[in-house]
């Protein structure tokens, strides 16, 4: 029997060794178990047993683990291997993976035993009633009811109620939930005393609907061909299909097959695409097999889901955001990653900085499950993998039901201005199209990838612009709140009445965000019903649903929005889609700028004319000759991919190399400069010319800290594992230098 256990704690620290209690209690501990452990002078954490062994660590006193928290391990072998892989690949600790992988209530912690106990998850309890052995016989009880009905009519009536329940309303043990019986506690007590019933407290059972026969629409021959191709791929399959081609229908067919065999399915979608529309569509077919999982659910709900799945026998469909990757789906057979190109699959802000799509592929391979990646505009990484034969590939080029693909018009903003054909933010052709749509009772969507009223304000006298005191960035004006806001740190201030520098009373909003578009379009079309969908109007899930439902129901004529309008819902009547300013998509310093601009505009365009009518998409730009605009106009993904891949190849960017980005932070700019210089030198000793930088990112001060970046490129064919080994050495060297102790180094593997 082992005497020690390495325990992973939800901290940026390695696993710690604890002693096991002696005897049966210690023998019962298994790898993957959650246990309470004391760590530090006072804190009690939930830890995961990672390894059992007999190697006594070289310390004077060793603490003993506390009690086990659940009746079975929270993690199975695949789960543990997934955490280990993430920690190794994304260069963080397993404890940091634990922090994001387990819902908060499942891993209580506290500064005292009482606090820990208070934090601990308790399942909801339910009171159940059952008949005593003596009265199980229905006829006998029925006779008894008649016998006592004169003397104790209420009691007889309650017994009859219990008798009337059939097995579907009872729990697995044939007990009746107390809350379904209409009576008071005195009667229950009396029946119990009379020996008729027993009263028990049990964990509430989630009501699971009966098994339904999945009824799925028949796939078209073209869709069937694709479904067949997916089935014949063993590992990863990339399904490229234009918006409205029926990708979701194909997923549902594949999902149905797996569920029918008792297998589990995980379907990942970008967070903001997780709308009630998608869940409803899935529930209509798969009923209670569907479980949604995302960050807007309460911690209790997420914990209940985790524990329920832990006890599941298979046949579950989880639809979730990237955090759903960590749910215990022990019978996993299929993973679907919808909108696989979406950059929100990457967790960028905190460790583990993982790419959900790539972790999904890893997860599927651990279970020998199949992965389907779906998109109208696949990421070039996935597309290249398909081209190189690493992934299977299918293309659906036509919309379902012969729905027309939208007609795309490129509108030259400069020319419009010259001809006097531009009003505020809209070129004449867009105004005409909106006006036509309104007169036919059809809808319009206007896309602008900036929220707020104006990205900055400027003094007309001296050119002064208000900036964030904590970040190197201008403040965005928001008219609704009447304030200026920093989109990096959340700092806000009121818009000054006059310029603090020259006292001119003329501060002009520059550029435009969704708020300003909303105002301007309402001024142009005063009778139109206009709504806005962005982070400022979507303050809650219900606000989101309200806006979407109003648009769906035709109560809104024009919907203005950011990226949020591009995802996840299916509108029938959108006749016009306007991209108000393509330029700010085209000119970003990122090597993925063209790919992103193409994907975003194509997705926005896909919202037009989805059912009966042909839609029109108007892209306003001052660069009509830009090649990205040309690819969008022709819907030519292949041309975009060819040109971009050639560039990436030339300059060693993904998919021809892997990137590791280092961001160094310090509140002291001098120390930071010296530190980054030192770090760059250490890196170059090992990696030579593969190191680029340091460079300052576009916003080089955030929350009062300066930042500088270095980039490491590891070309394909070189071992990433070896590179990580060398990197760990460099980081350790850096950390050993007292001078740079206060510099924070953030490592981002495969940055987005
Ligand atoms: P995508 O996911 O590629 O955007 P969807 O699966 O949402 O496409 O399909 C677009 C629309 O066409 C949906 O309303 C869907 O119900 C319908 N549709 C697609 N394929 C079929 C089919 N084989 N039978 C009936 N309706 C279909
Ligand atoms: Zn001024
Ligand atoms: Zn700020």
């Amino acid at each position: 029997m082992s005497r020690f256990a390495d325990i992973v704690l939800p901290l940026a620290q390695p696993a710690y060794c604890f002693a096991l209690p002696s005897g049966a209690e210690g023998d019962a501990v298994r790898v993957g178990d959650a246990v309470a452990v004391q760590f530090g002078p006072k804190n009690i954490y939930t830890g995961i047993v990672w390894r059992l062994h007999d190697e006594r660590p070289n310390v004077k006193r060793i603490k003993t683990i506390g009690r086990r928290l659940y009746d079975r391990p929270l993690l199975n072998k695949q789960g543990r291997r997934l955490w280990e892989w993430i920690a190794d690949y994304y260069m963080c600790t397993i404890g940091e993976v634990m922090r994001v992988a387990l819902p908060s209530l499942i891993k209580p912690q506290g500064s005292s035993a009482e606090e820990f106990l208070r934090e601990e998850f308790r399942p909801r309890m339910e009171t159940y009633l059952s008949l005593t052995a003596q009265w199980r016989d229905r006829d006998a009880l029925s006779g008894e009811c008649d016998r006592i009905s004169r003397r104790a009519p209420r009691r007889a009536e309650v017994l009859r109620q219990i008798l009337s329940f059939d097995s579907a309303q009872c729990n697995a043990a044939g007990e009746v939930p107390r809350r379904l019986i209409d009576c008071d506690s005195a009667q229950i007590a009396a029946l119990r005393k009379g020996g008729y019933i027993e009263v028990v407290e049990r964990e509430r059972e989630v009501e699971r609907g009966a098994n339904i026969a999945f009824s799925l629409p028949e796939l078209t021959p073209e869709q069937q061909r694709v479904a067949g191709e997916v089935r014949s791929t063993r590992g990863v399959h990339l399904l490229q299909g234009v918006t409205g081609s029926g990708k979701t229908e194909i997923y549902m067919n594949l999902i149905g097959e797996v569920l029918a065999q008792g297998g589990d399915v995980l379907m990942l979608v970008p967070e903001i695409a997780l709308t009630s529309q998608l869940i409803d569509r899935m529930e209509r077919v798969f009923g209670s097999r569907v479980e949604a999982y995302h960050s807007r659910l309460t911690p209790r709900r997420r914990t209940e889901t985790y524990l329920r799945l832990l006890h599941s026998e298979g046949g579950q469909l989880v639809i979730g955001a990237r955090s759903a990757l960590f749910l215990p789906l022990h019978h996993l057979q299929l993973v679907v990653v919808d909108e696989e190109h979406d950059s929100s699959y990457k967790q960028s802000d905190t460790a583990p900085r993982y790419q959900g799509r790539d972790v999904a592929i890893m997860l599927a391979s651990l279970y020998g499950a199949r992965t389907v990646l779906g998109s109208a505009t696949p990421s070039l990484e996935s597309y290249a993998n398909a081209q190189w034969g690493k992934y299977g590939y299918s293309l659906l080029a036509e919309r379902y039901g012969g729905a027309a693909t939208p007609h795309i018009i490129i509108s030259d903003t400069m020319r419009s201005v010259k001809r006097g054909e531009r009003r505020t933010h809209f070129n004449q052709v867009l105004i005409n199209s909106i006006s036509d749509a309104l007169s036919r009772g059809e809808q319009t969507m206007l896309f602008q990838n900036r929220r707020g009223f104006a990205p900055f304000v400027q003094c007309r006298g001296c050119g002064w612009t208000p900036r964030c005191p904590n970040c190197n960035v201008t403040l965005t004006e928001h008219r609704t709140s009447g304030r200026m806001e920093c989109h990096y740190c959340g700092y806000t201030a009121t818009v000054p009445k006059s310029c603090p520098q020259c006292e001119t009373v003329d501060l002009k909003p520059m550029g435009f965000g969704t708020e300003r578009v909303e105002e301007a379009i309402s001024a142009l079309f005063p009778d139109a019903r206009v709504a806005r969908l962005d982070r400022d109007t979507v303050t809650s899930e219900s606000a989101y649903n309200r806006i979407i439902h109003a648009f769906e129901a035709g109560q809104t004529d024009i919907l203005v929005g950011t990226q949020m309008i591009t995802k996840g819902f299916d509108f029938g009547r959108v006749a016009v889609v306007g991209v108000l300013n393509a330029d700010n998509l085209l000119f970003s310093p990122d090597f993925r700028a063209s790919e992103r601009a193409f994907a975003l505009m194509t997705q926005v365009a896909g919202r037009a004319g989805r059912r009966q009518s042909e839609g029109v998409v108007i892209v306003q730009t001052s660069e009509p000759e830009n090649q990205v605009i040309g690819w969008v106009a022709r819907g030519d993904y292949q041309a975009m991919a060819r040109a971009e891949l050639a560039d990436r190849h030339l300059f060693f960017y993904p998919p021809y190399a892997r990137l590791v980005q280092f961001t160094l932070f310090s509140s002291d700019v001098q120390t930071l400069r010296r530190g980054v210089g030192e770090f760059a030198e250490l890196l170059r000793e090992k990696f030579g010319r593969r190191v680029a930088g340091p460079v300052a990112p576009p916003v080089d001060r955030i929350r009062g800290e300066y930042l500088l970046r270095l980039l490491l490129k590891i070309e394909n064919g070189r071992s990433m594992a070896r590179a990580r080994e060398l990197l760990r050495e460099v980081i350790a060297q850096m950390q050993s230098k007292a001078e740079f102790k206060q510099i924070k180094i953030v490592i981002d593997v495969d940055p987005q």
Side-chain angles (χ1 to χ4, degrees):
M1 282 299 141
S2 308
R3 292 187 301 130
F4 301 100
D6 291 342
I7 307 284
V8 168
L9 300 168
L11 304 169
Q13 310 221 17
Y16 278 86
C17 184
F18 287 80
L20 291 173
S22 52
E25 200 190 336
D27 294 347
V29 173
R30 279 167 295 173
V31 173
D33 271 343
V35 291
V37 293
Q38 177 127 26
F39 189 71
K42 288 211 312 216
N43 289 332
I44 302 174
Y45 286 100
T46 301
I48 302 289
V49 178
W50 213 258
R51 197 169 73 91
L52 295 170
H53 58 87
D54 268 320
E55 303 144 27
R56 194 191 154 81
N58 194 12
V59 289
K60 265 219 201 79
R61 272 188 53 230
I62 179 161
K63 284 193 184 125
T64 303
I65 62 166
R67 67 200 155 85
R68 285 170 65 206
L69 297 181
Y70 303 97
D71 65 349
R72 64 183 67 192
L74 286 185
L75 282 180
N76 64 359
K77 191 163 110 234
Q78 286 90 338
R80 294 195 310 274
R81 287 200 38 209
L82 188 74
W83 287 22
E84 280 168 353
W85 181 81
I86 292 172
D88 178 47
Y89 187 86
Y90 294 102
M91 304 194 69
C92 63
T93 66
I94 298 178
E96 286 172 303
V97 181
M98 176 180 175
R99 274 211 288 241
V100 299
L102 295 178
S104 57
L105 281 184
I106 232 173
K107 47 178 195 316
Q109 64 186 65
S111 53
S112 66
E114 295 74 49
E115 194 177 300
F116 186 91
L117 208 61
R118 231 180 304 133
E119 294 289 307
E120 229 176 299
F121 174 79
R122 267 169 217 85
R124 271 183 258 250
M125 299 303 277
E126 169 105 65
T127 307
Y128 288 93
L129 309 179
S130 63
L131 296 167
T132 52
Q134 190 189 347
W135 296 108
R136 285 276 147 80
D137 183 87
R138 299 180 78 91
D139 294 336
L141 185 60
S142 187
E144 176 73 2
C145 285
D146 295 341
R147 203 176 65 76
I148 65 170
S149 64
R150 288 264 307 286
R151 184 165 45 84
R154 277 295 286 147
R155 254 177 264 168
E157 197 263 321
V158 173
L159 281 177
R160 286 205 182 94
Q161 277 189 56
I162 297 175
L163 263 176
S164 73
F165 277 84
D166 61 29
S167 58
Q169 292 159 295
C170 300
N171 68 3
E175 298 160 342
V176 181
R178 161 72 180 84
R179 73 193 143 86
L180 299 181
I181 307 280
D182 176 25
C183 69
D184 56 39
S185 48
Q187 284 148 4
I188 296 284
L191 287 172
R192 191 180 185 175
K193 208 156 156 244
Y196 295 103
I197 61 167
E198 276 161 36
V199 181
V200 287
E201 291 279 316
R202 291 196 199 288
E203 267 181 45
R204 180 158 182 177
E205 282 181 22
V206 197
E207 278 124 78
R208 309 253 85 202
N211 258 344
I212 44 164
F214 310 141
S215 88
L216 289 157
E218 204 173 311
L219 297 182
T220 64
E222 186 62 0
Q223 292 168 343
Q224 265 171 25
R225 167 186 65 84
V226 169
E229 287 168 1
V230 175
R231 278 188 211 102
S232 63
T233 299
R234 291 195 116 245
V236 185
H237 195 92
L238 175 62
L239 165 49
Q240 178 171 11
V242 298
T243 319
S245 58
K247 293 186 293 298
T248 311
E249 296 293 343
I250 293 175
Y251 304 151
M252 290 201 293
N253 265 269
L254 299 166
I255 290 168
E257 288 162 13
V258 172
L259 294 183
Q261 293 162 21
D264 291 327
V265 180
L266 173 63
M267 178 171 173
L268 291 187
V269 295
E271 181 91 34
I272 58 170
L274 257 171
T275 58
S276 48
Q277 274 186 324
L278 175 68
I279 307 294
D280 288 351
R281 186 172 170 186
M282 291 292 172
E283 278 180 347
R284 273 199 297 278
V285 177
F286 301 116
S288 59
R289 303 294 192 86
V290 179
E291 192 81 62
Y293 193 82
H294 49 80
S295 65
R296 296 183 308 264
L297 298 175
T298 62
R300 168 165 273 278
R301 252 303 283 290
R302 278 187 274 163
T303 300
E304 282 169 354
T305 300
Y306 193 104
L307 293 174
R308 210 177 55 65
L309 291 173
L310 195 62
H311 292 86
S312 147
E313 313 269 79
Q316 294 289 328
L317 165 61
V318 171
I319 303 175
R322 60 170 186 256
S323 58
L325 284 164
F326 300 105
L327 288 173
L329 289 169
H330 293 173
H331 305 85
L332 190 66
Q333 289 184 17
L334 172 66
V335 178
V336 176
V337 184
D338 193 28
E339 312 279 11
E340 66 86 28
H341 65 280
D342 198 291
S343 58
S344 71
Y345 279 125
K346 168 81 180 186
Q347 171 160 310
S348 296
D349 48 354
T350 52
R353 293 180 169 75
Y354 67 103
Q355 162 54 275
R357 173 195 61 221
D358 298 343
V359 173
I361 292 169
M362 189 38 144
L363 173 71
S365 81
L366 289 172
Y367 280 95
R370 163 180 296 144
T371 310
V372 181
L373 307 178
S375 175
T377 52
S379 65
L380 287 176
E381 285 86 344
S382 298
Y383 184 74
N385 276 322
Q387 296 257 298
W388 297 334
K390 284 168 84 180
Y391 297 171
Y393 176 77
S394 305
L395 178 66
L396 271 174
E398 303 288 328
R399 285 181 162 187
Y400 170 76
T405 41
H407 178 55
I408 299 182
I409 297 172
I410 306 304
S411 176
D412 184 344
T413 299
M414 291 310 177
R415 223 166 98 192
S416 255
V417 171
K418 272 195 211 122
R419 292 189 178 176
E421 288 180 352
R422 184 170 164 94
R423 291 163 72 188
T424 58
H425 319 294
F426 316 100
N427 300 350
Q428 194 60 50
V429 44
L430 179 55
I431 296 176
N432 293 347
S433 306
I434 298 174
S435 170
D436 287 351
L438 285 172
S439 65
R440 289 195 303 262
E442 293 175 336
Q443 293 174 301
T444 297
M445 271 185 167
L446 297 177
F447 168 75
Q448 170 65 355
N449 70 335
R450 279 230 158 94
R451 65 192 174 92
F453 189 82
F456 62 105
V457 295
Q458 195 171 42
C459 168
R460 289 209 142 173
C462 71
W464 174 82
T465 285
R467 305 182 73 83
C468 178
N470 315 316
C471 312
N472 188 10
V473 69
T474 57
L475 295 173
T476 300
E477 184 188 359
H478 288 254
R479 283 272 160 100
T480 319
S481 62
R483 296 181 79 81
M484 305 183 298
E485 191 187 299
C486 171
H487 286 182
Y488 284 81
C489 73
Y491 170 88
T492 69
T494 49
V495 186
K497 296 258 180 325
S498 61
C499 172
Q501 221 162 262
C502 73
E503 287 169 20
T504 304
V505 195
D506 192 2
L507 291 166
K508 192 170 181 265
M510 305 294 284
F512 59 97
T514 44
E515 218 179 72
R516 198 170 189 183
V517 173
E518 185 188 18
E519 188 187 280
I521 202 74
S522 303
L524 273 178
F525 298 104
D527 295 331
R529 296 161 300 176
V530 181
R532 173 158 58 91
L533 189 73
D534 58 25
R535 262 194 16 226
D536 299 314
T537 58
V538 176
T539 47
S540 65
E541 183 155 26
S542 60
Y544 183 85
N545 287 333
R546 214 167 30 244
I547 299 167
I548 298 289
H549 286 148
F551 194 68
E552 247 193 323
Q555 292 155 2
T556 307
D557 300 310
I558 302 173
L559 184 64
V560 178
T562 54
Q563 260 94 313
M564 274 192 187
I565 63 169
T566 66
K567 304 226 169 78
F569 39 84
D570 180 10
F571 296 117
R573 252 176 310 215
V574 181
V576 181
V577 167
V579 175
L580 295 180
N581 184 5
D583 299 4
N584 57 26
L585 301 172
L586 298 174
F587 309 118
S588 122
D590 192 321
F591 74 92
R592 287 195 178 90
S594 297
E595 178 187 358
R596 287 239 173 89
F598 177 85
L600 198 51
M601 283 190 265
T602 305
Q603 301 277 341
V604 179
R607 302 289 123 197
R610 295 204 54 172
R611 272 171 212 152
Q612 305 82 6
S613 58
E614 181 182 343
V616 51
V617 179
I618 294 156
V619 178
Q620 299 188 148
T621 176
S622 59
E623 288 248 330
E625 305 302 325
N626 187 295
Q627 56 178 356
V628 177
I629 298 286
W631 297 326
V632 173
R634 293 190 299 278
D636 197 347
Y637 176 88
Q638 264 68 20
M640 185 280 292
R642 255 195 318 276
E644 282 302 299
L645 286 174
D647 267 8
R648 305 271 182 99
H649 187 73
L650 201 59
F651 299 108
F652 284 117
Y653 273 107
Y656 300 96
R658 292 197 178 261
L659 304 181
V660 184
Q661 177 184 274
F662 307 91
T663 310
L664 282 71
F665 294 80
S666 170
S667 51
D668 181 59
V669 71
Q670 296 305 334
T671 311
L672 180 67
R673 287 210 188 107
R674 278 201 312 278
V676 84
E678 178 79 22
F679 190 46
E681 213 165 284
L682 291 173
L683 282 175
R684 288 199 168 97
E685 276 170 25
K686 313 253 187 212
F687 297 99
R689 291 174 48 200
R690 296 185 180 88
V691 183
V695 291
V699 178
D700 61 359
R701 194 166 71 100
I702 298 178
R703 290 175 222 275
E705 285 196 306
Y706 295 89
L707 40 149
L708 284 169
R709 283 201 172 131
L710 292 163
L711 193 65
L712 175 64
K713 288 185 197 171
I714 308 289
E715 63 275 25
N716 290 359
R718 289 278 167 163
S719 159
M720 269 302 274
R722 176 74 186 132
R724 288 194 296 271
E725 231 170 83
L726 294 173
L727 274 178
R728 288 192 180 98
E729 287 170 24
V730 173
I731 303 273
Q733 274 176 295
M734 202 51 198
Q735 278 163 348
S736 69
K737 293 180 201 276
E739 190 190 353
F740 302 129
K741 269 275 172 328
Q742 57 122 327
I743 294 181
K744 190 171 90 192
I745 304 175
V746 165
I747 307 174
D748 192 348
V749 179
D750 299 340
Q752 278 287 325

